Amino acid sequence: GLHSSVYLGDDTAEAAAKPRIQLSYYDGARLQGTLKRIEGETISLQTTFCDRPLTSRLDGAGEVKFLPSGSAPADRSAAAAPTRRPC
């Protein structure tokens, strides 16, 4: 089968150019973060609540939004961002 992947490096200059993504799933779940990687049927996002990228399956996602550059998470202000922890 067809196998594809996208990987965005961790260079600090590149970090500013990485798109923020919001995934909305059919079951009502939402996931938002900075795009790190898309590979096959999975996507990895760096979230505000986890110290390493969170990987999720794309099947079941009803919508993928690319958020404006520099946008804060929809449900939190930058001042109220939680401390990242191991996930």
Side-chain angles (χ1 to χ4, degrees), residues 49-82:
F49 59 84
C50 192
D51 64 351
R52 62 179 187 215
L54 186 65
T55 300
S56 181
R57 295 190 52 84
L58 288 169
D59 60 337
E63 181 177 56
V64 178
K65 283 186 184 178
F66 287 82
L67 303 173
S69 178
S71 64
D75 56 346
R76 298 185 188 273
S77 70

Side-chain angles (χ1 to χ4, degrees), residues 15-53:
K18 292 179 186 175
R20 290 195 49 77
I21 302 289
Q22 178 177 299
L23 293 172
S24 299
Y25 289 86
Y26 291 117
D27 67 359
R30 284 189 343 186
L31 182 60
Q32 188 176 108
T34 303
L35 179 63
K36 296 297 280 185
R37 185 178 194 149
I38 298 173
E39 185 170 5
E41 297 293 320
T42 63
I43 187 169
S44 294
L45 301 176
Q46 182 64 61
T47 65
T48 58
F49 59 84
C50 192
D51 64 351
R52 62 179 187 215

